[in-house]
Amino acid sequence: MSNIEMIEAAAERLNGHVRETPILTSPFLDEIAGRKVLIKPECLQHTGSFKFRGAWSAISALDDSARQRGVIAYSSGNHAQGVAMAASKHGIASVIIMPSDAPQLKINNTRALGGEVVLYDRANESREEIGEALAAERGLTLIRPYDEPLVIAGQGTTGLEIARQSQELGVTEADVLVCCGGGGLTSGIALALEKHAPGLRPRPCEPEGFDDVKRSLASGSIQNNNATSGNICDAILTPQPGQITFPILNRLCGPGLAVSEQEALHAMALAFLRLNIVLEPGGAVSLASALFRKDQIEGDAVIVVASGGNVDPQIFAKALEFLT
C-alpha cells in the first residue's frame, strides 16, 4: 500500500528528472473566487501533465530484468504520454492501450514519444482485460494509471512541493483542489500533506455526471459512474475510484466538488487570459471549482492543482469563445 515513505523515496528517484512546477497567482482570479487562489500548473510538467511523475516513479523502481522486457499501460492520453516518455528515457519499449475516441493530439503524442499505441472501444471493450492479456503474452510489466502504489508515490511528489511552496507563501490552512479521476494524484497529494502540511485539506474535483469520487466520499463506499465517455473532460473519466486510492481519499479528503463542461471551458479561457497557461478540460475542473463553487469553499486562500494541458485545438478554440 502507498505511504509517505514511498512518496519520499519516489522524490529521490524523480530528482533531476521531473520539473518542480511553480505556484502562479492572478489578482483577477482572486476577485472571481473571492479569496487568494494559488495555482500549481502541472500542465507545465514533462508531457503536459503530472502523469510523468508516476510513470517515472514506477519504471525507475523496476528491477533490470523486468525493465528490459518493457512496460504496458492503459490511458486516455496523459498517463499514456507519461509512460511512453519515461520508458523511452530508460531505453525500453512501451505498449499503450488507448480509447479510439481519445483526443487525436494525445494519440499522436504518445506515438511520437515512442509508445506502441493499441486502440480500443471504451464503450464495449475493457482496457483492463486487454492490458492484462497483452502483458501476459509479451512479458510486459503493467503500469496502472492510478491504482498502483508506485504511481501514487510519484504523483504524491506534487504534494511535497505544495507543502513546501505554500509554507514559503505563508499559507498553512487551505483547501487543495485536485482534478480527480481514479484518485492517484489526489491520494498521493493527500498522503504528502498529511505529514508535511496537515492544515491543507485535499478535495477532489470532477465533471458533473461523472462525479463518482464525490458520491463515494458522501456515501462512504465506492460508487460507479453510469458511463465512461460522453464528456469533454476525457482525462478524468473513470468507472469508479480505485481500490487502493479510495481508502486514502475517504480518510483524508474533504467533500468532493463537481462542475459543468461549460464551467471547465470557462476556466480554461481564464487560465489562458490571466495566467498565460493552456489547460485541457479535465485539467481545469479544479480551477473551475475554485472560481464557480466558491460558496462551497472556506478560508482566505485556496490551492488549485491544474493537472494537465493536452488539449486538441478545436476544444481550446471552443474555450476561448468565453473571451469574446
Side-chain angles (χ1 to χ4, degrees):
M1 296 297 290
S2 299
N3 55 48
I4 186 61
E5 289 77 19
M6 291 182 67
I7 294 171
E8 291 170 344
E12 293 184 10
R13 296 197 306 278
L14 269 60
N15 185 35
H17 300 287
V18 300
R19 294 171 179 152
E20 177 172 321
T21 51
I23 296 291
L24 306 179
T25 61
S26 163
F28 300 102
L29 298 182
D30 294 350
E31 183 176 0
I32 297 172
R35 56 178 52 86
K36 189 73 173 177
V37 183
L38 308 177
I39 300 98
K40 187 164 181 62
E42 279 294 297
C43 54
L44 302 180
Q45 190 55 259
H46 296 304
T47 70
S49 90
F50 72 95
K51 290 287 191 177
F52 181 76
R53 295 176 185 264
W56 187 276
S57 171
I59 292 173
S60 64
L62 293 174
D63 62 50
D64 289 341
S65 176
R67 191 181 301 136
Q68 290 308 313
R69 288 195 300 271
V71 297
I72 186 169
Y74 41 76
S75 166
S76 66
N78 287 334
H79 182 59
Q81 294 171 84
V83 170
M85 184 176 186
S88 293
K89 285 182 174 290
H90 279 90
I92 66 173
S94 63
V95 177
I96 315 295
I97 303 159
M98 302 184 69
S100 55
D101 62 346
Q104 194 61 45
L105 174 70
K106 294 181 179 181
I107 295 173
N108 294 343
N109 284 354
T110 302
R111 288 175 172 147
L113 290 167
E116 175 192 340
V117 174
V118 176
L119 298 176
Y120 78 101
D121 178 0
R122 73 164 111 198
N124 298 301
E125 296 180 288
S126 166
R127 65 183 189 178
E128 288 81 2
E129 291 178 3
I130 296 171
E132 290 171 4
L134 281 173
E137 177 185 335
R138 303 193 193 182
L140 306 171
T141 297
L142 178 61
I143 309 294
R144 291 179 176 83
Y146 51 85
D147 229 15
E148 161 55 55
L150 287 168
V151 169
I152 294 170
Q155 320 306 26
T157 62
T158 313
L160 296 180
E161 293 175 15
I162 290 171
R164 185 176 64 255
Q165 292 167 325
S166 61
Q167 186 175 33
E168 291 170 353
L169 294 169
V171 177
T172 58
E173 293 188 4
D175 281 348
V176 179
L177 310 188
V178 188
C179 305
C180 190
L185 177 62
T186 313
S187 61
I189 288 175
L191 289 169
L193 297 181
E194 180 185 26
K195 176 179 178 180
H196 293 283
L200 303 183
R201 179 178 68 161
R203 298 184 64 183
C205 302
E206 300 168 286
E208 291 176 345
F210 297 84
D211 57 350
D212 51 297
V213 175
K214 178 185 177 184
R215 290 182 285 108
S216 297
L217 291 176
S219 69
S221 61
I222 291 178
Q223 304 295 310
N224 297 325
N225 283 324
N226 293 326
T228 55
S229 62
N231 190 285
I232 61 172
C233 300
D234 64 282
I236 55 174
L237 302 185
T238 52
Q240 62 185 42
Q243 295 295 323
I244 297 175
T245 60
F246 180 67
I248 302 170
L249 303 177
N250 198 39
R251 182 170 68 87
L252 296 176
C253 287
L257 298 161
V259 297
S260 69
E261 288 186 313
Q262 293 302 303
E263 288 167 331
L265 289 168
H266 194 178
M268 290 168 61
L270 290 169
F272 176 73
L273 181 66
R274 301 305 186 188
L275 300 171
N276 294 325
I277 61 173
V278 173
L279 299 179
E280 62 188 284
V285 295
S286 53
L287 180 58
S289 297
L291 300 178
F292 308 125
R293 296 293 180 272
K294 57 186 177 182
D295 59 328
Q296 299 178 36
I297 300 168
E298 298 179 356
D300 298 327
V302 64
I303 300 170
V304 169
V305 182
S307 57
N310 295 307
V311 58
D312 277 347
Q314 297 89 335
I315 295 293
F316 194 64
K318 188 175 182 180
L320 294 184
E321 292 176 4
F322 281 90
L323 303 182
T324 60

